[in-house]
Amino acid sequence: MSAPAWPAQLGPVICVVGARPNFMKMAPILRAFAAHSPAIPVVLVHTGQHYDRSMNDRLFEDLKLPHPDINLGVGSGSHTVQTAEVMRRFEPVLDDYRPSCVLVVGDVNSTLACSLVAVKKEIPVVHVEAGLRSYDRRMPEEINRVLTDQMADRLYTTERSAQANLEAEGIDAARVCFVGNVMIDSLLHNRAMARPVAQTLAEAGIAADWLAPGSAYGVITLHRPSNVDQPETLQPLLATLARISEHLPLIFAMHPRTRANIERFGLQELLPAARIAVLPPQGYLEMLGLMDGARLVLTDSGGLQEETTALGVPCLTLRENTERPITVEQGSNTLVGIVPASIEQATQAVLAGAGKSGRMPELWDGQAAERIAADLYAWLSAAAATPHAEGVRHV
Ligand code: UD1
Protein backbone atom coordinates (compact mmCIF):
# COMPACT_ATOMS: atom_id res chain seq x y z
CA MET A 1 0.00 0.00 0.00
CA SER A 2 1.40 3.42 -0.88
CA ALA A 3 1.80 6.08 1.80
CA PRO A 4 -1.17 8.44 2.17
CA ALA A 5 -0.76 11.82 0.47
CA TRP A 6 -1.20 15.25 2.04
CA PRO A 7 -4.77 16.34 1.14
CA ALA A 8 -4.64 18.46 -2.01
CA GLN A 9 -7.00 21.09 -0.63
CA LEU A 10 -4.76 21.78 2.39
CA GLY A 11 -1.96 24.32 2.19
CA PRO A 12 1.31 23.94 4.09
CA VAL A 13 1.68 24.58 7.81
CA ILE A 14 3.50 27.84 8.46
CA CYS A 15 5.72 27.32 11.51
CA VAL A 16 6.94 30.47 13.23
CA VAL A 17 10.06 31.01 15.31
CA GLY A 18 11.33 34.33 16.57
CA ALA A 19 13.45 34.16 19.67
CA ARG A 20 15.84 31.76 21.37
CA PRO A 21 13.32 29.85 23.50
CA ASN A 22 11.29 29.00 20.36
CA PHE A 23 14.07 27.08 18.65
CA MET A 24 14.24 24.06 20.97
CA LYS A 25 10.46 23.77 20.82
CA MET A 26 10.25 23.89 17.03
CA ALA A 27 13.09 21.46 16.22
CA PRO A 28 11.26 18.27 17.32
CA ILE A 29 8.03 19.48 15.71
CA LEU A 30 9.71 19.83 12.33
CA ARG A 31 11.30 16.39 12.71
CA ALA A 32 7.95 14.83 13.60
CA PHE A 33 6.16 16.59 10.71
CA ALA A 34 8.76 15.28 8.24
CA ALA A 35 8.50 11.73 9.64
CA HIS A 36 4.69 11.70 9.73
CA SER A 37 2.82 9.73 7.10
CA PRO A 38 1.92 11.63 5.04
CA ALA A 39 4.71 14.16 5.63
CA ILE A 40 3.26 17.47 6.82
CA PRO A 41 4.47 20.23 4.49
CA VAL A 42 6.06 23.14 6.35
CA VAL A 43 7.13 26.67 5.61
CA LEU A 44 9.51 27.82 8.35
CA VAL A 45 9.29 31.55 9.06
CA HIS A 46 11.83 33.27 11.31
CA THR A 47 10.74 36.72 12.42
CA GLY A 48 14.33 37.76 13.20
CA GLN A 49 13.45 38.86 16.76
CA HIS A 50 16.74 37.25 17.87
CA TYR A 51 19.56 37.55 15.36
CA ASP A 52 22.99 37.37 17.08
CA ARG A 53 25.20 34.41 16.36
CA SER A 54 25.06 33.55 20.08
CA MET A 55 21.28 33.95 20.41
CA ASN A 56 20.38 32.44 17.06
CA ASP A 57 22.83 30.76 14.67
CA ARG A 58 24.50 28.51 17.22
CA LEU A 59 21.14 27.24 18.41
CA PHE A 60 20.04 26.54 14.84
CA GLU A 61 23.23 24.52 14.30
CA ASP A 62 23.01 22.59 17.58
CA LEU A 63 19.35 21.75 17.07
CA LYS A 64 19.86 20.93 13.38
CA LEU A 65 17.05 23.28 12.48
CA PRO A 66 16.66 23.83 8.75
CA HIS A 67 17.48 27.23 7.34
CA PRO A 68 14.25 29.27 7.56
CA ASP A 69 12.36 29.58 4.29
CA ILE A 70 11.69 33.20 5.15
CA ASN A 71 13.40 35.59 7.55
CA LEU A 72 11.43 38.73 8.33
CA GLY A 73 14.51 40.41 9.85
CA VAL A 74 12.68 42.52 12.43
CA GLY A 75 15.52 42.71 14.99
CA SER A 76 15.30 44.56 18.30
CA GLY A 77 12.98 47.38 19.26
CA SER A 78 10.37 48.32 21.81
CA HIS A 79 7.65 45.73 22.26
CA THR A 80 5.32 47.83 20.15
CA VAL A 81 7.78 48.30 17.32
CA GLN A 82 8.86 44.67 17.39
CA THR A 83 5.28 43.36 17.41
CA ALA A 84 4.09 45.79 14.76
CA GLU A 85 7.02 45.06 12.45
CA VAL A 86 6.45 41.32 12.69
CA MET A 87 2.78 41.84 11.86
CA ARG A 88 3.47 44.09 8.91
CA ARG A 89 6.07 41.77 7.42
CA PHE A 90 4.20 38.52 8.15
CA GLU A 91 0.97 39.41 6.37
CA PRO A 92 2.28 39.09 2.79
CA VAL A 93 3.74 35.68 3.65
CA LEU A 94 0.23 34.40 4.36
CA ASP A 95 -1.01 35.80 1.07
CA ASP A 96 1.83 34.07 -0.78
CA TYR A 97 1.58 30.63 0.82
CA ARG A 98 -2.12 30.27 1.69
CA PRO A 99 -1.32 27.94 4.62
CA SER A 100 -3.75 25.50 6.20
CA CYS A 101 -2.77 26.96 9.59
CA VAL A 102 -0.11 28.97 11.38
CA LEU A 103 1.70 27.11 14.16
CA VAL A 104 3.28 29.21 16.90
CA VAL A 105 5.17 28.11 20.00
CA GLY A 106 5.73 29.65 23.43
CA ASP A 107 5.07 33.21 24.49
CA VAL A 108 7.44 35.64 22.83
CA ASN A 109 6.38 38.77 20.95
CA SER A 110 6.64 36.93 17.63
CA THR A 111 4.14 34.33 18.89
CA LEU A 112 1.51 36.97 19.55
CA ALA A 113 2.23 39.04 16.45
CA CYS A 114 1.94 36.16 13.98
CA SER A 115 -1.18 34.77 15.68
CA LEU A 116 -2.88 38.13 15.40
CA VAL A 117 -2.11 38.43 11.70
CA ALA A 118 -3.34 34.89 11.01
CA VAL A 119 -6.58 35.22 12.97
CA LYS A 120 -7.45 38.46 11.18
CA LYS A 121 -7.02 36.67 7.88
CA GLU A 122 -9.20 33.78 9.06
CA ILE A 123 -6.34 31.33 9.03
CA PRO A 124 -6.42 28.85 11.94
CA VAL A 125 -3.85 29.37 14.69
CA VAL A 126 -2.23 26.42 16.43
CA HIS A 127 -0.49 27.16 19.73
CA VAL A 128 2.08 24.79 21.18
CA GLU A 129 2.68 25.28 24.93
CA ALA A 130 -0.76 26.74 25.48
CA GLY A 131 -2.43 27.52 28.79
CA LEU A 132 0.59 28.31 30.97
CA ARG A 133 -0.20 31.19 33.32
CA SER A 134 1.88 33.06 35.89
CA TYR A 135 -1.14 35.29 36.65
CA ASP A 136 1.32 38.16 36.61
CA ARG A 137 0.22 40.64 33.96
CA ARG A 138 3.41 42.68 34.36
CA MET A 139 5.26 39.93 32.49
CA PRO A 140 5.18 40.67 28.77
CA GLU A 141 5.04 36.92 28.11
CA GLU A 142 1.85 36.56 30.18
CA ILE A 143 0.02 39.00 27.90
CA ASN A 144 1.36 37.11 24.89
CA ARG A 145 0.13 33.80 26.33
CA VAL A 146 -3.38 34.96 27.21
CA LEU A 147 -3.99 36.67 23.89
CA THR A 148 -2.46 33.93 21.75
CA ASP A 149 -4.62 31.31 23.48
CA GLN A 150 -7.74 33.39 22.91
CA MET A 151 -6.98 33.43 19.19
CA ALA A 152 -5.90 29.82 18.84
CA ASP A 153 -8.10 27.18 17.25
CA ARG A 154 -6.03 24.22 18.41
CA LEU A 155 -4.13 24.37 21.69
CA TYR A 156 -1.45 21.87 22.74
CA THR A 157 -0.57 21.77 26.43
CA THR A 158 2.47 20.60 28.36
CA GLU A 159 0.88 19.99 31.76
CA ARG A 160 -2.63 19.33 33.03
CA SER A 161 -2.92 22.63 34.94
CA ALA A 162 -2.94 24.41 31.58
CA GLN A 163 -6.30 22.92 30.65
CA ALA A 164 -7.96 24.35 33.77
CA ASN A 165 -6.41 27.77 33.07
CA LEU A 166 -7.84 27.71 29.56
CA GLU A 167 -11.27 26.58 30.67
CA ALA A 168 -11.35 29.39 33.24
CA GLU A 169 -10.81 31.81 30.35
CA GLY A 170 -13.73 30.36 28.43
CA ILE A 171 -11.77 28.28 25.97
CA ASP A 172 -13.65 25.19 24.87
CA ALA A 173 -11.98 22.02 26.19
CA ALA A 174 -12.58 20.38 22.80
CA ARG A 175 -9.93 22.66 21.30
CA VAL A 176 -7.31 21.68 23.85
CA CYS A 177 -5.07 18.65 23.56
CA PHE A 178 -2.60 17.54 26.27
CA VAL A 179 0.46 16.27 24.42
CA GLY A 180 3.42 16.75 26.76
CA ASN A 181 6.44 18.96 26.37
CA VAL A 182 8.27 19.48 23.07
CA MET A 183 11.14 21.21 24.85
CA ILE A 184 11.77 17.98 26.70
CA ASP A 185 11.66 16.14 23.35
CA SER A 186 14.66 18.29 22.39
CA LEU A 187 16.42 17.69 25.67
CA LEU A 188 16.08 13.91 25.52
CA HIS A 189 17.07 13.87 21.85
CA ASN A 190 20.24 15.87 22.49
CA ARG A 191 21.31 14.91 26.01
CA ALA A 192 23.94 12.40 24.88
CA MET A 193 25.49 15.11 22.68
CA ALA A 194 25.73 17.71 25.47
CA ARG A 195 29.03 19.57 25.48
CA PRO A 196 31.37 18.78 28.43
CA VAL A 197 31.68 21.64 30.92
CA ALA A 198 35.49 21.85 30.63
CA GLN A 199 35.19 22.38 26.87
CA THR A 200 32.53 25.08 27.29
CA LEU A 201 34.69 26.94 29.81
CA ALA A 202 37.78 26.63 27.62
CA GLU A 203 35.90 27.95 24.60
CA ALA A 204 34.83 30.95 26.65
CA GLY A 205 38.48 31.65 27.52
CA ILE A 206 38.19 30.62 31.16
CA ALA A 207 41.53 29.28 32.53
CA ALA A 208 41.63 25.49 32.93
CA ASP A 209 42.32 25.75 36.68
CA TRP A 210 39.17 27.84 37.32
CA LEU A 211 37.22 24.63 38.00
CA ALA A 212 39.04 21.46 39.01
CA PRO A 213 37.70 18.37 37.19
CA GLY A 214 34.72 16.91 39.01
CA SER A 215 34.21 19.95 41.28
CA ALA A 216 30.74 21.14 42.10
CA TYR A 217 29.52 24.33 40.46
CA GLY A 218 26.29 26.25 39.98
CA VAL A 219 24.80 27.80 36.84
CA ILE A 220 23.12 31.21 36.60
CA THR A 221 20.91 32.77 33.97
CA LEU A 222 19.06 36.06 34.48
CA HIS A 223 17.29 38.12 31.88
CA ARG A 224 13.76 39.06 32.98
CA PRO A 225 13.25 42.81 32.67
CA SER A 226 11.76 42.81 36.20
CA ASN A 227 15.07 41.44 37.56
CA VAL A 228 17.67 43.13 35.42
CA ASP A 229 16.32 46.47 34.19
CA GLN A 230 16.52 48.45 37.47
CA PRO A 231 19.78 48.91 39.37
CA GLU A 232 17.89 48.72 42.71
CA THR A 233 16.94 45.13 41.85
CA LEU A 234 19.96 44.01 39.88
CA GLN A 235 22.56 45.27 42.36
CA PRO A 236 21.36 43.21 45.37
CA LEU A 237 20.82 40.18 43.14
CA LEU A 238 24.40 40.30 41.90
CA ALA A 239 25.70 40.90 45.43
CA THR A 240 23.78 37.82 46.57
CA LEU A 241 25.25 35.73 43.79
CA ALA A 242 28.72 36.95 44.75
CA ARG A 243 28.15 35.79 48.35
CA ILE A 244 26.88 32.41 47.15
CA SER A 245 29.96 32.06 44.97
CA GLU A 246 32.12 31.99 48.12
CA HIS A 247 30.66 28.52 48.74
CA LEU A 248 30.11 27.34 45.18
CA PRO A 249 31.78 28.54 41.99
CA LEU A 250 29.16 29.89 39.60
CA ILE A 251 28.99 29.89 35.81
CA PHE A 252 26.90 32.81 34.58
CA ALA A 253 25.66 32.49 30.98
CA MET A 254 24.81 36.11 30.44
CA HIS A 255 21.96 37.36 28.23
CA PRO A 256 22.76 40.52 26.16
CA ARG A 257 20.11 42.51 28.04
CA THR A 258 21.73 41.66 31.40
CA ARG A 259 25.26 42.35 30.17
CA ALA A 260 24.21 45.73 28.78
CA ASN A 261 22.50 46.69 32.05
CA ILE A 262 25.44 45.60 34.23
CA GLU A 263 27.67 47.84 32.15
CA ARG A 264 25.19 50.72 32.10
CA PHE A 265 24.76 50.65 35.89
CA GLY A 266 28.51 50.09 36.50
CA LEU A 267 28.00 46.84 38.44
CA GLN A 268 30.83 44.79 36.88
CA GLU A 269 32.86 44.94 40.11
CA LEU A 270 30.21 42.90 41.92
CA LEU A 271 31.11 39.73 40.03
CA PRO A 272 34.39 38.26 41.37
CA ALA A 273 36.04 36.61 38.33
CA ALA A 274 37.78 34.04 40.52
CA ARG A 275 34.43 32.62 41.64
CA ILE A 276 31.95 33.66 38.94
CA ALA A 277 32.79 32.80 35.34
CA VAL A 278 30.86 35.10 33.03
CA LEU A 279 30.11 33.47 29.68
CA PRO A 280 28.30 34.85 26.64
CA PRO A 281 24.89 33.33 25.79
CA GLN A 282 25.53 29.64 25.20
CA GLY A 283 24.63 27.22 22.47
CA TYR A 284 22.02 24.56 23.19
CA LEU A 285 24.48 21.70 23.69
CA GLU A 286 26.72 23.84 25.90
CA MET A 287 23.80 24.88 28.09
CA LEU A 288 22.62 21.29 28.33
CA GLY A 289 26.07 20.16 29.47
CA LEU A 290 26.34 23.00 31.97
CA MET A 291 22.93 22.21 33.51
CA ASP A 292 23.35 18.44 33.49
CA GLY A 293 26.54 18.62 35.55
CA ALA A 294 25.44 21.43 37.90
CA ARG A 295 24.92 21.15 41.62
CA LEU A 296 22.18 23.72 41.26
CA VAL A 297 20.78 26.22 38.78
CA LEU A 298 19.74 29.77 39.72
CA THR A 299 17.51 31.29 37.05
CA ASP A 300 14.57 33.45 36.09
CA SER A 301 14.01 31.61 32.79
CA GLY A 302 10.85 29.64 32.08
CA GLY A 303 12.59 27.04 29.95
CA LEU A 304 15.32 26.24 32.47
CA GLN A 305 12.72 25.44 35.12
CA GLU A 306 11.46 22.66 32.87
CA GLU A 307 14.86 21.49 31.66
CA THR A 308 16.24 21.17 35.19
CA THR A 309 13.14 19.20 36.17
CA ALA A 310 13.80 16.80 33.29
CA LEU A 311 17.46 16.53 34.34
CA GLY A 312 16.65 16.17 38.06
CA VAL A 313 18.94 19.10 38.94
CA PRO A 314 17.78 21.41 41.76
CA CYS A 315 16.58 24.73 40.36
CA LEU A 316 16.09 27.89 42.40
CA THR A 317 13.85 30.26 40.47
CA LEU A 318 14.43 33.93 41.22
CA ARG A 319 10.81 34.93 40.70
CA GLU A 320 7.69 35.18 42.86
CA ASN A 321 5.57 33.04 40.56
CA THR A 322 5.82 30.49 37.80
CA GLU A 323 3.61 29.64 34.85
CA ARG A 324 5.02 26.10 35.08
CA PRO A 325 3.71 24.87 38.46
CA ILE A 326 4.38 21.23 37.71
CA THR A 327 8.11 21.91 37.96
CA VAL A 328 7.54 22.89 41.60
CA GLU A 329 4.89 20.29 42.44
CA GLN A 330 6.63 17.31 40.84
CA GLY A 331 9.97 18.52 39.54
CA SER A 332 13.16 19.92 41.03
CA ASN A 333 12.15 23.58 41.04
CA THR A 334 11.75 25.88 44.06
CA LEU A 335 10.46 29.45 43.81
CA VAL A 336 12.71 31.58 45.98
CA GLY A 337 11.86 35.12 44.85
CA ILE A 338 14.50 37.84 44.85
CA VAL A 339 14.97 38.58 48.54
CA PRO A 340 18.69 37.95 49.21
CA ALA A 341 18.18 36.04 52.47
CA SER A 342 15.70 33.62 50.83
CA ILE A 343 18.03 32.95 47.91
CA GLU A 344 20.99 32.33 50.20
CA GLN A 345 18.99 30.14 52.56
CA ALA A 346 17.64 28.01 49.72
CA THR A 347 21.12 27.69 48.25
CA GLN A 348 22.56 26.57 51.57
CA ALA A 349 19.81 23.97 51.84
CA VAL A 350 20.72 22.56 48.41
CA LEU A 351 24.40 22.52 49.29
CA ALA A 352 23.55 20.71 52.53
CA GLY A 353 21.88 17.98 50.48
CA ALA A 354 18.25 19.09 50.73
CA GLY A 355 17.87 19.96 47.02
CA LYS A 356 14.89 18.53 45.17
CA SER A 357 15.50 15.95 42.49
CA GLY A 358 11.81 15.49 41.69
CA ARG A 359 10.36 13.21 39.04
CA MET A 360 9.55 13.43 35.37
CA PRO A 361 6.05 14.90 34.78
CA GLU A 362 3.40 13.03 32.80
CA LEU A 363 4.05 12.82 29.05
CA TRP A 364 7.46 14.48 29.26
CA ASP A 365 8.68 11.43 27.42
CA GLY A 366 10.27 12.68 24.22
CA GLN A 367 7.19 11.97 22.08
CA ALA A 368 5.20 15.20 22.38
CA ALA A 369 5.97 16.35 18.84
CA GLU A 370 4.81 13.03 17.39
CA ARG A 371 1.51 13.43 19.25
CA ILE A 372 1.15 16.94 17.82
CA ALA A 373 1.82 15.71 14.28
CA ALA A 374 -0.79 12.96 14.60
CA ASP A 375 -3.42 15.21 16.13
CA LEU A 376 -2.81 18.13 13.77
CA TYR A 377 -3.08 15.88 10.73
CA ALA A 378 -6.35 14.40 11.98
CA TRP A 379 -7.69 17.85 12.86
CA LEU A 380 -6.78 19.47 9.54
CA SER A 381 -8.04 16.48 7.56
CA ALA A 382 -11.37 16.57 9.36
CA ALA A 383 -11.62 20.31 8.73
CA ALA A 384 -10.82 19.80 5.06
CA ALA A 385 -13.61 17.24 4.82
CA THR A 386 -16.11 19.58 6.52
CA PRO A 387 -15.03 23.09 5.54
CA HIS A 388 -17.61 24.79 7.70
CA ALA A 389 -16.71 22.92 10.88
CA GLU A 390 -16.79 25.12 13.95
CA GLY A 391 -13.41 26.54 14.94
CA VAL A 392 -11.91 26.10 11.49
CA ARG A 393 -12.68 29.01 9.31
CA HIS A 394 -10.53 28.57 6.27
CA VAL A 395 -8.84 25.55 4.88
C1 UD1 B 1 12.82 37.50 24.68
C2 UD1 B 1 11.43 36.99 25.05
C3 UD1 B 1 11.51 36.17 26.33
C4 UD1 B 1 12.56 35.09 26.24
C5 UD1 B 1 13.89 35.75 25.87
C6 UD1 B 1 15.00 34.73 25.77
C7 UD1 B 1 9.54 38.50 24.50
C8 UD1 B 1 8.54 39.40 25.07
N1 UD1 B 1 10.51 38.10 25.34
O1 UD1 B 1 13.21 38.43 25.66
O2 UD1 B 1 10.25 35.56 26.55
O3 UD1 B 1 12.67 34.41 27.47
O4 UD1 B 1 13.71 36.42 24.62
O5 UD1 B 1 16.17 35.32 25.33
O6 UD1 B 1 9.46 38.16 23.34
N2 UD1 B 1 19.49 41.24 21.78
C9 UD1 B 1 20.74 41.00 21.26
N3 UD1 B 1 20.87 39.99 20.37
C10 UD1 B 1 19.81 39.24 19.96
C11 UD1 B 1 18.55 39.50 20.50
C12 UD1 B 1 18.41 40.50 21.42
O7 UD1 B 1 21.71 41.65 21.59
O8 UD1 B 1 20.01 38.33 19.12
C13 UD1 B 1 19.33 42.32 22.74
C14 UD1 B 1 18.34 43.36 22.23
O9 UD1 B 1 18.98 44.37 21.56
C15 UD1 B 1 17.66 43.83 23.48
C16 UD1 B 1 17.80 42.66 24.43
O10 UD1 B 1 18.77 41.79 23.91
O11 UD1 B 1 18.29 44.93 24.02
C17 UD1 B 1 16.49 41.99 24.64
O12 UD1 B 1 16.01 41.34 23.45
P1 UD1 B 1 14.45 41.14 23.17
O13 UD1 B 1 14.23 40.24 22.03
O14 UD1 B 1 13.82 42.47 23.16
O15 UD1 B 1 13.85 40.44 24.43
P2 UD1 B 1 14.46 39.38 25.43
O16 UD1 B 1 14.73 40.05 26.70
O17 UD1 B 1 15.58 38.60 24.78
Side-chain angles (χ1 to χ4, degrees):
M1 218 174 74
S2 60
W6 182 249
Q9 66 274 43
L10 287 179
V13 174
I14 289 196
C15 291
V16 176
V17 291
R20 184 171 66 175
N22 293 161
F23 307 147
M24 48 292 263
K25 293 168 194 163
M26 193 57 80
I29 295 173
L30 297 186
R31 265 199 310 277
F33 283 9
H36 187 264
S37 180
I40 300 178
V42 163
V43 176
L44 180 61
V45 174
H46 192 325
T47 65
Q49 181 178 341
H50 283 176
Y51 46 84
D52 275 356
R53 175 154 176 77
S54 64
M55 299 291 283
N56 187 70
D57 305 19
R58 274 178 70 184
L59 286 267
F60 262 70
E61 287 160 21
D62 284 352
L63 293 159
K64 302 200 169 52
L65 271 163
H67 200 70
D69 297 292
I70 293 162
N71 193 319
L72 304 179
V74 298
S76 301
S78 70
H79 285 247
T80 303
V81 168
Q82 205 170 53
T83 307
E85 272 306 308
V86 172
M87 288 182 70
R88 214 171 57 78
R89 297 182 194 198
F90 188 54
E91 183 169 33
V93 176
L94 297 185
D95 294 333
D96 287 350
Y97 286 92
R98 307 183 58 78
S100 56
C101 64
V102 169
L103 183 147
V104 294
V105 296
D107 55 15
V108 302
N109 288 338
S110 302
T111 309
L112 171 65
C114 292
S115 302
L116 190 48
V117 176
V119 81
K120 293 272 182 181
K121 294 180 85 71
E122 299 191 10
I123 295 170
V125 173
V126 175
H127 187 203
V128 175
E129 202 189 83
L132 296 181
R133 295 291 181 271
S134 64
Y135 293 100
D136 176 0
R137 293 267 174 130
R138 290 164 307 176
M139 264 181 104
E141 293 82 359
E142 182 74 354
I143 306 296
N144 295 343
R145 291 179 200 118
V146 169
L147 296 179
T148 301
D149 286 338
Q150 281 297 329
M151 291 186 278
D153 299 279
R154 196 82 188 133
L155 300 95
Y156 294 114
T157 58
T158 53
E159 56 172 282
R160 289 196 184 273
S161 70
Q163 172 112 18
N165 294 336
L166 292 168
E167 280 178 38
E169 290 170 17
I171 292 167
D172 184 354
R175 290 196 204 169
V176 183
C177 183
F178 173 43
V179 291
N181 195 329
V182 287
M183 189 151 61
I184 304 309
D185 291 4
S186 262
L187 183 143
L188 297 175
H189 185 80
N190 288 292
R191 191 172 184 181
M193 271 102 70
R195 200 85 75 234
V197 177
Q199 195 180 330
T200 300
L201 290 173
E203 268 167 30
I206 307 292
D209 61 0
W210 185 86
L211 186 74
S215 312
Y217 65 90
V219 170
I220 313 167
T221 81
L222 271 186
H223 76 283
R224 298 238 143 263
S226 58
N227 280 345
V228 305
D229 280 3
Q230 277 86 37
E232 312 81 74
T233 311
L234 186 55
Q235 195 276 345
L237 269 178
L238 297 181
T240 306
L241 296 173
R243 282 195 298 279
I244 290 173
S245 77
E246 291 165 17
H247 310 282
L248 182 73
L250 296 173
I251 301 174
F252 194 159
M254 202 178 275
H255 188 281
R257 171 191 286 276
T258 310
R259 179 180 296 274
N261 286 340
I262 289 176
E263 282 166 18
R264 190 152 60 98
F265 307 145
L267 301 175
Q268 299 92 322
E269 310 274 283
L270 286 176
L271 300 174
R275 300 295 293 174
I276 301 186
V278 175
L279 273 49
Q282 291 298 298
Y284 184 74
L285 298 175
E286 283 81 3
M287 207 57 215
L288 202 49
L290 288 175
M291 284 189 287
D292 208 0
R295 186 71 194 275
L296 92 165
V297 171
L298 293 142
T299 189
D300 59 8
S301 149
L304 264 67
Q305 295 173 50
E306 296 186 341
E307 289 168 333
T308 46
T309 276
L311 295 168
V313 171
C315 177
L316 302 182
T317 295
L318 309 184
R319 288 173 45 189
E320 305 296 341
N321 51 52
T322 179
E323 60 288 337
R324 295 163 161 89
I326 205 160
T327 61
V328 176
E329 288 152 16
Q330 296 183 13
S332 58
N333 188 20
T334 308
L335 287 180
V336 295
I338 57 166
V339 175
S342 316
I343 302 172
E344 286 183 71
Q345 220 167 32
T347 303
Q348 290 307 342
V350 174
L351 295 182
K356 287 160 78 174
S357 53
R359 64 183 157 93
M360 196 69 116
E362 186 183 3
L363 296 190
W364 290 21
D365 59 358
Q367 301 295 313
E370 281 74 14
R371 286 188 280 269
I372 291 173
D375 179 84
L376 188 63
Y377 176 63
W379 183 71
L380 287 173
S381 305
T386 50
H388 301 296
E390 210 217 325
V392 181
R393 293 175 296 272
H394 168 106
V395 266

